[in-house]
Amino acid sequence: AQKVTQAQTEISVVEKEDVTLDCVYETRDTTYYLFWYKQPPSGELVFLIRRNSFDEQNEISGRYSWNFQKSTSSFNFTITASQVVDSAVYFCALKETSGSRLTFGEGTQLTVNP
Amino acid sequence: NAGVTQTPKFQVLKTGQSMTLQCAQDMNHEYMSWYRQDPGMGLRLIHYSVGAGITDQGEVPNGYNVSRSTTEDFPLRLLSAAPSQTSVYFCASSATGQVSNQPQHFGDGTRLSIL
């Protein structure tokens, strides 16, 4: 069965610090998809990125970057020069191609203090 | 763009009452799903549908019913509300569900309290 683990329940940093959110997953499929979602205090879920299992290139989007390592089953998310507006709960999720289910991790509450 | 619309946004029920959470999407997505979000447990899948007339159970289906008579609508029914069903409920849709890397689009959520 697929599983996603976000070991960091809460992280607190000071503005402008870099922060990395960890995500480790388990799956028996050889092809799968990984996602990150952001849930700000207002409560909605915002899609951030999708990664296919056959594409191990890291990705950078502004202050956000993602490090996908298939060998360690990890898909970590780094925010560079964090800002107060980055304060949110971040979810990592996995979708196997053998099914329709999207499995979420427990989420990491990130607080960025001014 | 409306996207995924959930109603109501808030609801308080008494134990034993029934109600329906509404979900509608205007993106012509085949795949729709319902999740519940509880503290420290992430989002857990309740039921999902890969198209009109087709539904299936997720991880935590007990106490909930769904139907999919149209592509646009996917209501979630609580038959006899219990305090354990106090949660935030999210509806989501995506273009295709079976073999897809498409992200799911989420509604704004329904905060449900059962007294």
Side-chain angles (χ1 to χ4, degrees):
Chain A
Q2 59 191 53
K3 183 180 179 181
V4 177
T5 302
Q6 295 179 253
Q8 304 150 308
T9 304
E10 297 181 18
I11 299 176
S12 182
V13 299
V14 177
E15 204 169 18
K16 297 185 182 178
E17 282 186 25
D18 299 346
V19 58
T20 294
L21 309 181
D22 298 332
C23 172
V24 175
Y25 61 91
E26 297 176 25
T27 178
R28 293 176 184 165
D29 276 17
T30 55
T31 302
Y32 49 88
Y33 307 103
L34 296 161
F35 302 83
W36 275 95
Y37 284 85
K38 174 182 180 180
Q39 187 177 42
S42 50
E44 72 272 22
L45 285 153
V46 179
F47 164 71
L48 294 178
I49 191 172
R50 170 192 65 230
R51 171 62 66 214
N52 304 331
S53 59
F54 45 84
D55 180 3
E56 291 198 61
Q57 273 193 329
N58 292 327
E59 185 158 339
I60 299 174
S61 176
R63 296 184 297 107
Y64 295 172
S65 62
W66 290 268
N67 183 350
F68 175 41
Q69 292 197 344
K70 207 168 181 177
S71 60
T72 57
S73 297
S74 65
F75 186 42
N76 297 335
F77 174 29
T78 297
I79 301 174
T80 303
S82 60
Q83 300 176 0
V84 172
V85 293
D86 295 327
S87 296
V89 180
Y90 291 86
F91 291 99
C92 180
L94 165 70
K95 184 179 183 301
E96 296 174 333
T97 55
S98 58
S100 307
R101 176 180 300 185
L102 185 65
T103 298
F104 284 83
E106 300 88 347
T108 297
Q109 170 72 61
L110 173 65
T111 302
V112 181
N113 299 298
Chain B
N1 293 335
V4 179
T5 302
Q6 288 184 239
T7 56
K9 293 191 185 305
F10 303 94
Q11 185 71 48
V12 178
L13 293 177
K14 294 182 180 178
T15 297
Q17 286 185 315
S18 63
M19 81 158 294
T20 300
L21 306 186
Q22 300 292 345
C23 176
Q25 53 91 7
D26 61 359
M27 297 172 281
N28 201 32
H29 285 168
E30 297 97 337
Y31 183 82
M32 296 185 74
S33 55
W34 277 101
Y35 295 86
R36 60 178 288 174
Q37 182 180 15
D38 302 293
M41 303 188 75
L43 281 84
R44 294 181 292 168
L45 183 65
I46 304 172
H47 285 286
Y48 65 95
S49 169
V50 298
I54 305 169
T55 63
D56 207 345
Q57 295 181 350
E59 183 182 355
V60 288
N62 293 340
Y64 307 95
N65 276 357
V66 292
S67 60
R68 185 92 179 271
S69 56
T70 67
T71 299
E72 294 78 18
D73 300 302
F74 190 44
L76 177 72
R77 298 183 187 85
L78 281 70
L79 304 176
S80 178
S84 62
Q85 294 177 304
T86 293
S87 188
V88 180
Y89 291 84
F90 286 95
C91 179
S93 74
S94 62
T96 55
Q98 280 295 331
V99 181
S100 167
N101 64 353
Q102 297 302 309
Q104 294 194 15
H105 299 261
F106 285 84
D108 289 339
T110 295
R111 188 174 296 274
L112 182 62
S113 295
I114 315 295
L115 305 179

